Amino acid sequence: ILILVILSIYIALDREDITAFLYRLVPPAYVPQARVLQVSVSRSFGGFLRGQLIMGLVFGLFTAVVNVAFGLPYAAVTTVAAGVLQMIPFFGPFVSWMPPVLVAMIMPNGPLLPVAILMAIAWFVTMNILQPRLMSGSVGIHPIVVLGSVVVGSKIAGIPGAIFGIPIAAVISALFCHWVARSREHGS
């Protein structure tokens, strides 16, 4: 982890030099395509990370409302845990509802059923309504493509495929749109 952190710092500091070096490796005739690839990859992965962050914040906010409404102890811990778990792609959302439910479960005469129902509703809305719309806006692809890319990615490569399915679909979409626009310019 330390090596990754140090490497990330060097890459962030020397980003322009690294990009310039990589462009020098590309044949001059393919530089425009390399620029399209660079822009689409940075937009797709950056948008994906922003979308995950927003989903975690929204789910954490809903968890905070549930915690306060029912007076659950450890509200700050369960709110942060639920939000962070929601940000973890693929498996995180499936367990993000658990922190406040577990607290309600261990409380004597705790409001287990209402907390579980509200967290299930929040999870359903976040995963089936918010995520496709948010990811489509963040990475620039239609919500149906977002859902399809997760399904196809998980079938092809399992958990890593499901995690990276959305940004990869966005890159492919950007390259395809660039190719279509370029084909129209040349009359083919």
Side-chain angles (χ1 to χ4, degrees), residues 40-56 86-90 93 131 134-141 146 149-150 159-171:
S40 62
V41 166
S42 65
R43 178 176 180 233
S44 300
F45 280 91
F48 177 72
L49 293 176
R50 280 188 301 278
Q52 290 297 113
L53 178 66
I54 292 169
M55 281 182 38
Q86 185 69 28
M87 284 189 263
I88 299 171
F90 194 67
Q131 183 197 28
L134 186 63
M135 286 300 165
S136 72
S138 297
V139 297
I141 56 178
V146 169
S149 64
V150 171
I159 292 174
I163 292 171
F164 293 111
I166 295 170
I168 289 171
V171 169

Side-chain angles (χ1 to χ4, degrees), residues 75-136:
V77 174
T78 58
T79 297
V80 170
V84 168
L85 286 169
Q86 185 69 28
M87 284 189 263
I88 299 171
F90 194 67
F91 79 88
F94 293 107
V95 295
S96 63
W97 56 270
M98 287 177 62
V101 172
L102 291 175
V103 169
M105 188 184 314
I106 62 172
M107 284 178 62
N109 298 323
L112 177 61
L113 189 60
V115 169
I117 289 171
L118 286 175
M119 292 309 295
I121 291 170
W123 181 87
F124 182 82
V125 168
T126 303
M127 294 305 295
N128 294 306
I129 297 171
L130 180 65
Q131 183 197 28
R133 296 224 176 260
L134 186 63
M135 286 300 165
S136 72

